[in-house]
Each structure stands twice: as structure tokens, then as C-alpha cells.
Amino acid sequence: MQPKEVIFVDYSLLWLDWKPKDGLPEYVKRIVGTPATRQGKAALRELMAGLSAMGAETEQCSGKPDDLPAIRLKEYPGQDEKVTLRRSGDGMEISGSGQGLIYGVFRFLRHLALGEAFPEWESSPAYPIRMLDHWDNDDGSIERGYSGPSLFFRDGRPICTERTRDYARLLASCGLNGCCINNVNVHGNALKLLTGSYKRELRRIAACLAEYGVSLWLSVSFSAPIELGRLETADPLDPSVRQWWRETCGRLFAELPNLVGFLVKADSEGRPGPHSYGRSQAEGANMLAEAVSPFGGKILWRCFVYNCTQDWRDARTDRARAQCDHFAPLDGQFRENVYLQIKNGPVDFQIREPVSPLFGHLEHTNSMAEFQIAQEYTGQQRHVCYLIPMFREVLDFHLEHRAERDTVAENISAICAVSNTGSDFNWTGHDLAAANLFGFGLLSWDPSADPELIAREWTILSFGADPEVTDTVSGILMRSRDVYEKYTAPLGIGWMCAPNNHYGPSPEGYEYDRWGTYHRANHLEIGVERGPEGTGYTQQYSPGLAAMYASTEDCPEELLLFFHRLPYAYRMKDGRTLLQRIYDDHFEGYEEAKAMAEAWENLEDKLDPGIYARVRERFREQLRCAAEWRDVINTWLYRLTLIPDEKCRTIYP
Amino acid sequence: MQPKEVIFVDYSLLWLDWKPKDGLPEYVKRIVGTPATRQGKAALRELMAGLSAMGAETEQCSGKPDDLPAIRLKEYPGQDEKVTLRRSGDGMEISGSGQGLIYGVFRFLRHLALGEAFPEWESSPAYPIRMLDHWDNDDGSIERGYSGPSLFFRDGRPICTERTRDYARLLASCGLNGCCINNVNVHGNALKLLTGSYKRELRRIAACLAEYGVSLWLSVSFSAPIELGRLETADPLDPSVRQWWRETCGRLFAELPNLVGFLVKADSEGRPGPHSYGRSQAEGANMLAEAVSPFGGKILWRCFVYNCTQDWRDARTDRARAQCDHFAPLDGQFRENVYLQIKNGPVDFQIREPVSPLFGHLEHTNSMAEFQIAQEYTGQQRHVCYLIPMFREVLDFHLEHRAERDTVAENISAICAVSNTGSDFNWTGHDLAAANLFGFGLLSWDPSADPELIAREWTILSFGADPEVTDTVSGILMRSRDVYEKYTAPLGIGWMCAPNNHYGPSPEGYEYDRWGTYHRANHLEIGVERGPEGTGYTQQYSPGLAAMYASTEDCPEELLLFFHRLPYAYRMKDGRTLLQRIYDDHFEGYEEAKAMAEAWENLEDKLDPGIYARVRERFREQLRCAAEWRDVINTWLYRLTLIPDEKCRTIYP
């Protein structure tokens, strides 16, 4: 089904912009098999178009296959996402459900484009829910969006354009199967997505997504019964409230066959929730879960619940503790179609945080890891910051709660990321930020995927197969997170960014504010003590981890200031003082950013001029901002301590 | 002339809400004299209405006066603002031009309301231009407005309502004669005020103001020839630009007979100006002055020109120097109908600044003092802060440039304040902030007026004549500036407020920003040295003042951190350390604010319940915010120094 309202927008196809390829195997000349489902047909279409773009002259052979080498598409019935690529005679076979064929075809095309050996692949995704959360508002703005206006909303209404379908293609091509199109902070007309007011537009969007097996999710307001239903309460135990949700879901799921469920931010940063009525998070979530249950619906319930009106004078309350304090005691109380959405770290998407201990406390509850590829705190797509290595660290992390299947990846049942996409030509603002979108997709399918291989693959698909380009760009990507970390807030302390816009340095910007994110630095010491003598946050981990983090000796150095309050004179393992380590990191971080920018500039002759110029501009801004970070953090610490840099580099007094 | 478009708004009449009065003199029963001019008639009407409100049964006696005691109105021809009140037989006489009669009648009514002895008053205003600048935007918002939406604009258009006339009455009643209705940052439809697009609305506003002798001024954009005239330049020496302004002024002054001239913010904080074309400020101002000259027009040219993109690393550039550096060399180059508008201090309306040295450099140029009764940096009309004593200090300040007529008051030719009014019921947000409006008016007429008498007079006119109310409220007003100063940024250092909104504490909020307002505090010292060894700012004063300010011994202590970088251990004259003085001020400031709030609460039985409750709410917010200021500033300094309070009061670590 084609969208009827087509608005022409010029945009890149990113890694789906297949390039002509020499030496394609003989069997690509023929495709045998006629898929019956909508998704299977889409798979066939993608295969034909992809091969054609690569220069093959492919014909579809209907009827009984002869002995000539061919690509055979075998479609099985059902919604299974499993896919198999294997040799078949002199050709190959891609088999799966219609949905599986889509993944298989994209995988096959990537193999060809990368010039890899013959693909043998039998795979199922690690999680049945692999999605992006869009923080898109009804007016077309995006909360924490850095890539232009929304793909899904304009002027107070949902929109479906030609680009919607290409977006679904991009998501499916890297393994994603879901998309929540509106902001978790539900405002304005977005409230009315539940009412049928935008039925026509939503059905169009849903159809575009469904063709590629991407499900539709909606963010809903917990107080919708008041705002829309004119009830006087949104109490989850109130019969009229339950009735309102049941009726609303009945209508909505009938209107939108591709709808899978709701994402809910409740009792968080001013949003309404069950706590307003003296009910638990479980009572709130279960009420919604019951309402969507008849339609096979699911509820994604955010665990981002904390006191966002903390008094900075209050040194006992520790925001890092909040999620475990709220949710760990409720394990086992949630319905089976509720997924607790847990941010990767205990605070909020900083460049360095420990893994959220809550992952280890949900033995009898579905959990979902929430990452953020929108670079809210990681350079806002003006700095290059490839996040996939960091996500792998989180997924690989051993919670030490059980003997087997103990990693985060093995504990969760679902995975999502806050999207970094918008209507910019290149979808992600910074051309290199598309690697995070692609990489998150691959990781959501297979959490053991190698971030460096992903980076290399993405580079070749995006910029062509020149080995120097591949080495240079993937090298930049692989270094980029450490570089960003070095010149920004040191050693896990976080939150030294400008309040509100979260860009650029402001070392005391959050210090006297209500957000619970303090470093309490003075002339001698910096940081919040989170060991047993401090806020006790470390005790939320299993005993081994708790002991490790509580010990300044054993705590990983990159997290030292997340867990401990330490004197500037504290000796790091290599003998440097804590302060000197921070100075060094900031000087080095800037130099390394400069080296990345120079490496990019050396590729000028080998890259598309548009891409080259856009990324060069971003690097210029990154260098300007990195110098600002370096100098502000160093000066701020110098003014506090009056201890100079041992190497006599410039710190402004 | 009544405005045609009447929109009913409920609002207070402030000090013009005359109250019934016993013991009125016999002569108030008769008024003799029939003024001929529009202003004279308004004066008569005010007199009749005021006397009636006070309970007199007054009749107007036309024809030849008999011997019965009466108020005689004698109107002279002309625009002269001089007014005389004197005994005349058993009655009294008010004489002046129509305009003079307005001032005389309001003065006489105040005398009656205050129960003062028989008024003998012969007075002329100190300055021919005594005005308010409104920073009102076309959408009805007010930049730095804290009293509700604009009185002059709504939904992108100028508006004239019943309230416009009452606003003119309020201004005239305290001696003001001018009003610039739109923001100096000219945006949106406000650009089109020059085009005739809003001729009808502007004529109505002008007529309402004119009835009370209040002239209309407009803020204009220096680049209007580009924005409106479609020229390619706004170069003040370009013949087509000069022609465009001449034609525009010809049409505009013909349309608006009550228009007096333009206010211009040029080359300031991103506004266009003559510097963009390599021309001097004088060339820019004179070009406009020439264009308005045929119509008797005047140009108010703001001197708020400084580098607002300073690098914080740059310790040589000193924003405090900027106005003198830019304008002092140009003395004598401006046309006689140009007035240089100079803020009272060298930076920007902080609670404590020295007097701008520029006032002493303009021997051959008209200058205008600019004050701000909008409490941008002084509590935003949520804190009580009576500014009239501070304005008196500025006006009384001896510049030491000449032997006679050496004060600021004697050097300037005009006076204005950024208005604190809006559409709130009480016009000024905080009921007590109306004292700043009233007081600025009286001071603009007579810069030697006594701030305390003004406070007492305003209190009686506003809240009635109960002596306890008068003593308490005027006492609060008189203490309020010192109290606010004590709990906010210490000793003239300024700028420790939150960036952007300028409310509440943020001691490092401006420290790494581009605005040129730094304290550069470290573990041992705080402040910027502005003496000859520092930025040299002190040398902009005459030799005696320069020497005084340059010496830490002689510098007034309340300005110590404006002029000097000092160690926290510096000994104040009373033996306390600088740091202890700051701690003490902050603890005391809060306690004094609390005492003011309690004094107010003691008046509950004696005040109108609406006023009482509104002001009590404001005091609650003031106390909340004062505690925040106290604790944040003290904690910030404690963390820097680790020196505790000698008196062991609570400083959060």
C-alpha cells in the first residue's frame, strides 16, 4: 500500500544506497519463488531493486525452478522472525516467513555489497521487541532531537510521506521491528492520538511500517481518562477509569491493526501516574496491560521515576538509587504483557555510568533495556560519538545474580533506543551518527555483534569500499566515545553540561538545582560517596559487585567519581593524582578530537563532496566545543584547587 | 477624545484612588475658571472628580468670580510646564499652561489627600524629557516584564483601551511627560510601526496620552531602510538611506502629531547600527536627528554598546569600560536634538554599581540618565526593592569634572526609566513596586526630592493615612534595597544571578559565558581588578574619584568587589574578613527580609484584604528565594575556601 499523501523531500538512503558491484555471483541473475504475503512481496521487491542497483540483470522465474543457479525465496507461513540463508545447488536459498524474508534479503544484499564470502546464516533475533522511541511532538519539534523536524508529525497532526516507507525500510534492514512515534511527554494534539481524531493518518503510517514488519507503538498519558474522557480521576483501580481504557483500546486496536501497545512515562518529571492516587507502579501498569490484553497488546512502562524536586542541601537522597528503590520490591507483581523499560545506567544517558542495578532485580518481570542514540548528553550529533561499544559493554555486563544467563543481554526480554532521526537530508544530523542507528539495529538482533565490525560494515555500505576510508572512518568511530568522555565530565561524574540544553560545559550548572545531580566539589574533594558509608547505592548490586564498586582500589577507574568522593590528591593506579589525570584527559581529549578531524580531512578526495563538507563542519564545531570543555573544566578545577598542571600546559587562571 | 475601542479590564487606580477626606477647606466647594485647552479641560475634570471622591460638593462657577472662597484655575497659553499654587483671597489659585494645570491639580489633590498645610508651590520640572521606556513586544509580551501582558500591544498589533487613558493619568499625576511604547529590541510587527500599517491604533494611543501631556516615542530599528524600505544598506551616509528616513519621518510625524521622536538601540547585543558600515555612533545618530529635525523631533541614542561575544579567557577586555571608550571621544559631535541615553551604572542595572563615568565626559552633548524600575536584576517585582534611594544617590553623585553644577542631576538634560508596568490588576505585579513608578515620576520632576517622603506620601495615597501603616510600609520600602543587596551578589560584584532569566542565584552562571561579566573567583581571591594595575576602568573618572576608587582603603566598601580583586582574608574597616562580611550579610539579609515580611503581616487588620494577600504571597516568594541566595552564595564560597562561618551558623557543605 502506497501512502496517498506524498510530499517530496530530498534525502539520502544511507546504507541502502546500494552501489554498483563487480564480480557478482552467477546465481543473482535469477530469482525463484513468489512470496504471498505483503512482507514477502516487499522482500522480493527489495531484492530485485538491490540487485539492479548493484548492476545485476536479474529476472524473476516463475513456475517450477530448473537447474540453473538462482536465488530461491522460500516463504513459510506465520509471523516467525527466523531466517535462513544457505547454499542450494549452485545458488542459494533464503527462507523464512514473509517477515523473515525481509531480514534475509537485506542481509544477503549487505553480504554482496561487502563482497563477503558466501553467506550461510541461520538466525533468530535475540528479542521479540526491538524498537526505536521517538520523542516527537505534535508540532513537529523533537524533544532532544538534533536532526531537523519530526518524520511523523507536522503542524499538530501526524503525517505520512514517501519518507515514512523509506524509514520503515531502513529500520527493517538493520533488524528493528518497532517504532513508537510520539514523545513520552505527551502534550497538545498528541493526547488525541487515542481518540480516533487522526485515524486516517495513523492508519497510513501503520500501513507503511507494517509492509516492512515494523510495528506501531504510541506513547500515552496516564491521565488520559481525565484529559480525554472527562473523568474526574485516572486512579487505576477506579472502575470507570478501567472501563474507559478498555473501551478506548477496543476502538483503537480495531482501527489500527498494526498497533502493538503503549509506552508510558508515569510519575516521572511531572507526568501523572499511579502514585498520584496512592497506587503502586504495578497497579498502574497492570491496569493498562489488562486493557490492551484482549488485543495481544503490550505495555512498556518506564522506570525513570525519581524525585525531580530535590533540595540540593539534602545530601541523603541519591537519585541513582531511585529506580531500584521504586521497582525492585515490585518484582513479580507485573502482568506478563508489561515490560519495564530501564535506562542503561541508573541516572540518565551520561557518557559514562555503571549498569543499572535494576536489571538484576527482575527475576519474575519482563524487562527492556533503554538506550539513547539521540546524543542528548553525548554531543548532540554535532560531536561524533559512536555509542555501540558502550551498548555492548552494558549488554555484556554480568549482574552476578545467577550462575547462568547472567548478563544484561540475557536478562532482558526487549530492547529499545531513543531515536536520533529527523527530517534532515541525512536523517541523523551528523552523517557519522547514522552508524549509531545502524549499529543499534544490528545489536538489537544480536547483542553479541562486534561493534568494530559493525562500524566497518556501515562505513563500506555508506561510503564505499576504499580500504583507507574504511580504516579511517571506522577508526574515528571506535575512538570517538573515549575522546568525548575525555574532554567532558571526568570519570563517571556526569552532569557538567549546560542546564536545559545539555550542550557544552557548565561545571556548576546543576549544582544548586532540583535534579539530584550534584558533585559537591570543594577546594579539596569532589564527588558523591555512594558506598555503604555514603548513600549506599553500591548495595543495590549483588555482593561481589557491591564490594568491588565500594572499594576505591577495585572500582574501575573510569567510574571512580561516579562511586566515590575523593580528594584531588588521590593517587590513580598509574601514580598520577586524580586532578592531574583529569587535566591530562582534557588536554588529550582535545588533541584526539583534533586528530580525528584531521583524519577526516585527509579523506577529502575519496568521499562524496556533500558528505565530506557536512562532516567537516561538524568536526569544526566539535573542536570549538571540545576546547571550551577542556578550558572550562580545567580552569574550574584550577580555581578550586590552585594546583597547576604538572606539564605546564595552558590553564586560564 | 475617548478611545473608541473600549475593552473592559478590572484594575486598580493606584495612588489616584482618592479616598473620602474629612475637614476639607471651605474653598474646595467652588472652582472658578474655564480652561480652554484639551489639557486644561482634563485638569478641570480631574479636579472635579478628585474633590468629589474625597467627599466635597464642588460646583464650577462660570462668569465673573464673586468674593466667595474658591479654587481658581488660571490657564496661560503655551506649552510651558511651569505651575504655581498660591493663596488667593480666602481661596487658592492654580496657574499654568493647560499642561501646567494638570501637574498643579494633581499636586493640589495630593496635598488635600495627605492633609498637608496650605500648599504654596511654584515649580518647573528639572528636565523637559521625563519618560518611561516600555520594552513591550508586538505579541503582547514584555521583555523583562513582570506585571502581566503589555498595555500597548496585543496579538501583533498596538491597542488602545480605557486603560491607556488611565495610564496617561497615572504618569502625568507624578510628573512624567513621555512614553516610548515599544521594545528597543524591535522585532516582528513592531518594525511596521513606522509604515503607517497601524496608523489608526497609534493615533488613538497618541490622543489618549496627549490629553494628559504625555508624548509618544517609538523605538526604531537602525536597519529599517533594509527591512522596510527594501534598500540594500542602512549606511547612515548613503543618500538613499537618508532620503528613506526623511520621507518616512515626514509621513509619520504628519500622521502622529503627538510623536516626539525615536529611541534607538544600535550596535548593541546583536542590533544593527552604524558600526556595521564603518560609521561612528555620531554619524548614525545625526543622520536620524536630521531626518526628524524638521518636525521638532528628537533622537534618544542608547550608549549600551559593548562586546557581547567576549571570550571568558580574555582578561583584558572590561565591559565596564565600553561606554566611555565608545562615546567619550565623540563628545561634541552629536546634533543638538540627540540625547545620549546612559544607564546609571557602567554595566547593566545591578543592585550596586558605581555611577557611569560617561556622565562626566559629555560637556557638549545632551545626555539622558536611564534607570530601570522594571526589577530585572532586583527581584523582578517578586521581591520588594524600593529603588528611589539608589536613584537619588546617582543623581546626587559629584562627577568632579567642574566646579559648579557637577552632579549627575545637573549634567543631564533628560531622564527616563524602563517601565515596570503591565496589565496586571495592580499594574506593577508587586503592589509595593508601584512606589517605584510614583517615586521615579516625582524624582524626574525634582531630582532633589526626598525618597523617604516620597515613600510616606505614596503609602498614604495608596493604603490610607493610618500612621502605623505609613511608618511600617515606608520603613519596609526604605530598608528594602539594602536587604536585597545583602542576600544577593556581594559588594558590587553583580551577576551572580541565573543566566537568561536573571532571577535567583547562580554564582558561576555567567563565568564562562560571552557577556563580559566575570568574578574569576578562586580558592584565595575574588573579583576583577579595575584600578590602574588592572583594566584601568577607574581612570575613566576624574582624578580625585579615580584615586579614590583605585585605593582599596578609600573605595566605598559597598563597591569594593566592583573595583578590586581581593583575597577572602582581606580586612574590612571593622576588622572582619571580606569572607566573613559576605557570610554575615547573607545571614542578616535573610533575617531582615523575614522581619519585613513579619512587619507586613502585622498590618493584616489595617489593609485592604486583596492588597494584603497579594503582598504576603510575594513576601513568601521573596523569603524562599532569599534563603536560596543566602545558602547558595555561602555554600559556594565555603566550598571554594573551606573557611567556616565564625559564628557557626549553618552553611551547607
Side-chain angles (χ1 to χ4, degrees), chain A residues 203-224:
Chain A
R203 284 176 66 94
R204 284 186 186 168
I205 292 171
C208 273
L209 299 177
E211 189 176 5
Y212 286 84
V214 178
S215 299
L216 177 69
W217 299 78
L218 295 176
S219 292
V220 301
S221 166
F222 194 79
S223 53

Side-chain angles (χ1 to χ4, degrees), chain B residues 109-408:
Chain B
L109 290 171
R110 287 213 304 275
H111 274 293
L112 288 182
L114 296 167
E116 291 177 344
F118 188 90
E120 290 271 354
W121 193 52
E122 181 169 323
S123 186
S124 288
Y127 312 109
I129 302 175
R130 309 176 304 282
M131 64 187 286
L132 293 182
D133 292 349
H134 287 261
W135 290 355
D136 296 16
N137 299 314
D138 67 322
D139 63 359
S141 66
I142 302 180
E143 185 166 329
R144 312 304 174 187
Y146 312 106
S147 313
S150 169
L151 293 163
F152 292 114
F153 293 89
R154 190 185 296 162
D155 299 333
R157 304 181 72 86
I159 48 162
C160 185
T161 72
E162 175 64 21
R163 201 163 177 169
T164 313
R165 192 169 155 275
D166 281 319
Y167 193 50
R169 294 176 64 219
L170 285 166
L171 299 195
S173 74
C174 59
L176 293 163
N177 74 351
C179 185
C180 183
I181 63 169
N182 67 308
N183 192 354
V184 289
N185 295 315
V186 185
H187 298 300
N189 285 349
L191 274 167
K192 294 195 282 180
L193 294 175
L194 289 181
T195 63
S197 302
Y198 305 114
K199 183 168 70 173
R200 188 165 143 268
E201 294 88 343
L202 286 177
R203 284 176 67 93
R204 285 186 185 169
I205 293 171
C208 274
L209 298 177
E211 190 177 4
Y212 287 83
V214 177
S215 299
L216 177 70
W217 298 79
L218 296 175
S219 292
V220 301
S221 166
F222 194 79
S223 52
I226 299 170
E227 295 148 349
L228 298 173
R230 308 197 174 213
L231 301 187
E232 288 184 358
T233 178
D235 180 349
L237 301 193
D238 184 282
S240 63
V241 170
R242 301 171 81 89
Q243 176 66 16
W244 186 87
W245 278 109
R246 270 196 300 270
E247 286 173 9
T248 298
C249 291
R251 188 181 33 68
L252 195 67
F253 279 84
E255 281 169 11
L256 298 171
N258 190 33
L259 181 68
V260 195
F262 300 144
L263 172 59
V264 193
K265 178 178 181 181
D267 288 317
S268 173
E269 296 183 338
R271 305 292 310 163
H275 285 177
S276 316
Y277 305 98
R279 311 302 181 186
S280 76
Q281 296 292 303
E283 286 168 321
N286 289 342
M287 178 273 292
L288 288 175
E290 195 183 300
V292 300
S293 176
F295 321 101
K298 298 177 176 66
I299 298 298
L300 310 176
W301 189 264
R302 291 184 101 221
C303 296
F304 192 50
V305 177
Y306 69 99
N307 174 11
C308 67
T309 57
Q310 187 173 339
D311 188 332
W312 59 269
R313 300 166 185 84
D314 165 15
R316 292 192 191 172
T317 302
D318 179 5
R319 171 168 165 183
R321 291 186 55 113
Q323 295 184 47
C324 257
D325 285 347
H326 282 294
F327 286 92
L330 300 178
D331 183 33
Q333 297 183 27
F334 293 90
R335 287 183 62 118
E336 75 289 348
N337 58 337
V338 174
Y339 293 73
L340 294 188
Q341 194 184 82
I342 305 167
K343 296 195 186 200
N344 60 280
V347 187
D348 192 13
F349 299 138
Q350 303 299 293
I351 188 66
R352 179 73 68 177
E353 291 186 45
V355 169
S356 174
L358 182 54
F359 287 114
H361 289 270
L362 302 174
E363 284 288 311
H364 309 290
T365 305
N366 289 319
S367 63
M368 174 183 224
E370 182 186 12
F371 296 98
Q372 191 189 43
I373 56 175
Q375 292 173 233
E376 176 175 0
Y377 296 98
T378 54
Q380 304 194 352
Q381 289 135 257
R382 288 185 266 181
H383 300 227
V384 57
C385 193
Y386 179 57
L387 294 162
I388 307 307
M390 173 170 138
F391 298 169
R392 255 304 291 275
E393 284 167 26
V394 173
L395 292 165
D396 287 353
F397 186 80
H398 278 270
L399 296 159
E400 302 189 9
H401 272 265
R402 48 192 186 193
E404 292 192 351
R405 299 191 58 74
D406 180 57
T407 66
V408 170

Side-chain angles (χ1 to χ4, degrees), chain A residues 311-313 500 505-508 511-512 519-524 624 627-632 635-642 652-653, chain B residues 311-313 500 505-508 511-512 519-524 624 627-632 635-642 652-653:
Chain A
D311 187 333
W312 59 269
R313 299 166 187 84
N500 306 318
S506 178
E508 303 234 335
E511 203 49 26
Y512 302 99
H519 52 63
R520 304 186 191 282
N522 68 24
H523 171 55
L524 295 175
R624 184 204 64 76
E628 197 66 10
W629 270 104
R630 174 196 65 196
D631 291 339
V632 169
T635 291
W636 174 73
L637 286 168
Y638 174 73
R639 288 181 182 178
L640 270 169
T641 63
L642 293 180
Y652 297 85
Chain B
D311 188 332
W312 59 269
R313 300 166 185 84
N500 306 318
S506 180
E508 304 233 335
E511 203 49 26
Y512 303 99
H519 52 63
R520 305 186 191 279
N522 67 23
H523 171 54
L524 295 176
R624 184 203 65 74
E628 199 65 11
W629 270 105
R630 175 197 63 196
D631 291 340
V632 169
T635 292
W636 174 73
L637 286 168
Y638 174 72
R639 289 181 181 177
L640 271 169
T641 63
L642 292 180
Y652 297 85

Side-chain angles (χ1 to χ4, degrees), chain A residues 92 171 206 215 239 266 341 346 389 395 398 547:
Chain A
M92 66 158 313
L171 300 194
S215 299
Q341 193 184 83
L395 292 164
H398 278 271

Side-chain angles (χ1 to χ4, degrees), chain A residues 307-366:
Chain A
N307 174 11
C308 68
T309 56
Q310 187 173 338
D311 187 333
W312 59 269
R313 299 166 187 84
D314 165 14
R316 291 191 192 172
T317 303
D318 179 6
R319 171 168 166 183
R321 293 185 54 112
Q323 294 184 47
C324 257
D325 285 346
H326 282 294
F327 286 92
L330 301 178
D331 183 32
Q333 297 183 26
F334 293 89
R335 288 182 61 120
E336 75 289 349
N337 58 336
V338 174
Y339 293 73
L340 294 187
Q341 193 184 83
I342 305 168
K343 296 194 184 198
N344 60 279
V347 187
D348 192 14
F349 298 138
Q350 302 300 293
I351 188 67
R352 179 74 68 175
E353 291 187 47
V355 169
S356 175
L358 182 54
F359 288 115
H361 289 269
L362 302 174
E363 285 288 311
H364 309 290
T365 305
N366 289 319

